[in-house]
Amino acid sequence: MKLFKKTLLAAAVLSSAGAMAKTTAIINADIHTATEQGVLKNYSLLIEDGKIAAISNLKLDADEIIDAQGKIVTPGFIGSMNQLGLVEVGAVASSRDGNEKKGGITFDPSLAFNPKSTLIAYARKGGITRDVIAPSWGESPFVGLSSTVNLSGEFGTSVVDSQNAIIVNLGGTKDGSRAASLAKFIDKLEGQQTKLEKKSDKKDDKAEPSKEEKLLTAALKGEKPIVVRVSRAQDMLELIKVKERFGIDLVLSGAEDALPIKAELAAAKVPVILSAMANLPGSFDSLNASLTTAGELEKAGVQVALTIAGDSSHNVYQLRYDAGNAVAYGMSREGALKAITSNVADIFNIEDAGSIAVGKAADLAIWSADPFEISTTLEKVMINGVAVSTESRHDKLRDRYMAESNMPRAYTK
């Protein structure tokens, strides 16, 4: 009996090893790498153990062959600064887990991330394979931490990098002055810097720092980016001074009024995350909002990442359409692709995704044509080399209500 069990175990191990060793090749593709290599026409790539093992214009052998027939292959797109998987229905409070009034800098909403959210399958239909989720509000300027998730829909493995950036809200408020919020932000950094200087003088100080202190120390060392939601140009100029004073890795989000200070942003090497569709002033902080902002910032040398304005959790699917509009208003095609792939990966230190290169995760999308065209369809999407479904709740509802049946409409046998 023991011998039989050992035989079964050995067979299972061999079967598992064989499954892991399976290789897949995508051949005859126009590969848009989102790297310095640009577009590789009529190339092939090899996938092994969930990663890109080879890219070549020669014939590649594999266990599975996917013939792209000249179609476009891009990296999976990366959404950012939304609450995908943290909210289901905005009007239902119990389904909203992305914000905490008194959360502060240590608030980590990824603990509540739901990989089975119906919004995730819908986002995959837009070629989104990863996403950076983040809290949007709280009483403190420090509203919490962002995290990177993949859209595989799997329990236990979907949160791939938690607490990868500190999120801060500054600018105009309904109560009080923007100056007070900025002062609180600076005071936090200054206070922690002073603590670190005093601790270095006391070599025998072995006191364990708090979670907040650890996060602030990581920010002061440039190890963890600080993403600041802000709109007004003058506020952004003040933040550039903060970056220079403390040496932080500063990223600006929103930045609707960035156009007049594009040269300063480029010189300070401050990345900007914005919506390509922000073209109307939503407040006195965004009087210079324009459809040309993304393109103008790119030309000035600013690293740009695109996100969705408004209810981005439910609408991140349309990221490729916004990228197409950015191209229509002056952004380069390569720049627009990087703005939803490699630039996002670079900003949030996502080392294994965002581009098509050997060693990167095989997060890929195969398109019928130009992915920035509204008529183009997504033919296949892969996360870590595994094809994932593009069927969403919308598709299921369509099939249910359009099904021919002897029963009343919407009922199925």
Side-chain angles (χ1 to χ4, degrees):
M1 186 68 175
K2 289 183 179 178
L3 179 61
F4 178 66
K5 287 182 177 179
K6 287 181 180 179
T7 303
L8 285 177
L9 179 60
V13 170
L14 288 171
S15 175
S16 175
M20 289 298 290
K22 179 182 177 182
T23 57
T24 301
I26 300 175
I27 64 173
N28 301 324
D30 283 355
I31 301 175
H32 293 235
T33 64
T35 70
E36 293 180 356
Q37 287 189 294
V39 180
L40 303 175
K41 290 187 174 292
N42 198 29
Y43 263 63
S44 302
L45 61 84
L46 181 69
I47 301 167
E48 186 173 7
D49 292 337
K51 295 186 179 296
I52 298 171
I55 302 172
S56 176
N57 58 354
L58 302 175
K59 182 180 179 181
L60 294 175
D61 292 323
D63 300 316
E64 178 188 14
I65 302 292
I66 300 172
D67 189 349
Q69 299 178 334
K71 293 170 184 173
I72 291 175
V73 176
T74 68
F77 300 153
I78 306 175
S80 63
M81 301 303 289
N82 58 55
Q83 300 192 344
L84 186 67
L86 299 174
V87 60
E88 198 65 35
V89 180
V92 179
S94 62
S95 76
R96 301 194 306 262
D97 296 306
N99 301 302
E100 178 59 35
K101 186 177 181 181
K102 298 184 182 295
I105 190 173
T106 60
F107 174 55
D108 178 9
S110 72
L111 296 171
F113 179 73
N114 177 20
K116 300 298 182 182
S117 167
T118 60
L119 305 186
I120 287 175
Y122 184 58
R124 284 199 301 257
K125 293 176 73 69
I128 313 292
T129 56
R130 297 206 189 191
D131 190 67
V132 179
I133 56 175
S136 61
W137 60 267
E139 286 186 338
S140 168
F142 290 87
V143 296
L145 300 159
S146 66
S147 296
T148 301
V149 300
N150 69 39
L151 272 57
S152 64
E154 297 297 327
F155 289 124
T157 58
S158 289
V159 179
V160 294
D161 185 15
S162 63
Q163 305 183 11
N164 59 3
I166 297 168
I167 310 300
V168 174
N169 287 348
L170 293 177
T173 62
K174 293 180 180 178
D175 301 308
S177 167
R178 75 185 66 229
S181 296
L182 180 57
K184 287 179 182 178
F185 174 57
I186 295 172
D187 286 348
K188 280 283 189 184
L189 296 175
E190 190 173 46
Q192 186 59 24
Q193 188 178 66
T194 301
K195 286 181 183 179
L196 291 173
E197 290 170 354
K198 288 181 178 179
K199 191 170 183 178
S200 65
D201 295 335
K202 299 178 181 179
K203 295 181 180 179
D204 58 341
D205 186 359
K206 296 181 180 179
E208 180 69 17
S210 66
K211 289 181 179 180
E212 178 177 304
E213 289 173 335
K214 289 179 180 178
L215 290 167
L216 289 170
T217 298
L220 289 169
K221 290 182 177 180
E223 298 169 353
K224 196 177 293 291
I226 298 180
V227 182
V228 182
R229 289 193 184 93
V230 67
S231 297
R232 196 163 77 172
Q234 181 57 41
D235 294 341
M236 289 185 266
L237 291 175
E238 291 297 326
L239 287 167
I240 289 175
K241 295 178 185 177
V242 174
K243 170 185 168 68
E244 293 170 348
R245 176 181 172 185
F246 294 102
I248 60 174
D249 181 3
L250 174 68
V251 180
L252 300 178
S253 178
E256 290 90 347
D257 215 30
L259 213 47
I261 59 166
K262 59 186 179 182
E264 290 85 347
L265 292 170
K269 296 182 179 179
V270 176
V272 172
I273 304 170
L274 54 78
S275 165
M277 303 309 294
N279 69 323
L280 294 174
S283 69
F284 286 105
D285 284 9
S286 54
L287 296 178
N288 291 286
S290 170
L291 293 172
T292 66
T293 299
E296 291 293 329
L297 290 180
E298 180 199 10
K299 291 171 186 173
V302 177
Q303 186 178 46
V304 177
L306 296 180
T307 188
I308 301 296
D311 186 4
S312 55
S313 307
H314 289 77
N315 295 316
V316 67
Y317 161 85
Q318 70 188 42
L319 190 59
R320 68 185 182 101
Y321 303 140
D322 282 23
N325 277 285
V327 173
Y329 284 91
M331 200 172 199
S332 70
R333 284 184 174 273
E334 187 66 18
L337 177 63
K338 289 183 176 181
I340 56 176
T341 55
S342 59
N343 286 358
V344 187
D346 186 53
I347 288 169
F348 290 99
N349 298 316
I350 305 170
E351 296 180 354
D352 65 335
S355 59
I356 298 178
V358 173
K360 296 282 189 179
D363 290 2
L364 304 166
I366 302 178
W367 304 92
S368 63
D370 181 353
F372 298 159
E373 290 290 340
I374 196 167
S375 59
T376 295
T377 57
L378 177 65
E379 304 214 335
K380 184 180 287 290
V381 63
M382 306 176 84
I383 297 176
N384 292 320
V386 178
V388 292
S389 173
T390 58
E391 183 182 52
S392 71
R393 182 170 180 268
H394 302 69
D395 300 313
K396 293 176 181 178
L397 287 171
R398 176 202 61 205
D399 294 343
R400 175 180 177 181
Y401 284 94
M402 296 300 293
E404 294 295 331
S405 172
N406 293 328
M407 300 177 72
R409 194 171 282 279
Y411 286 84
T412 57
K413 295 181 180 179

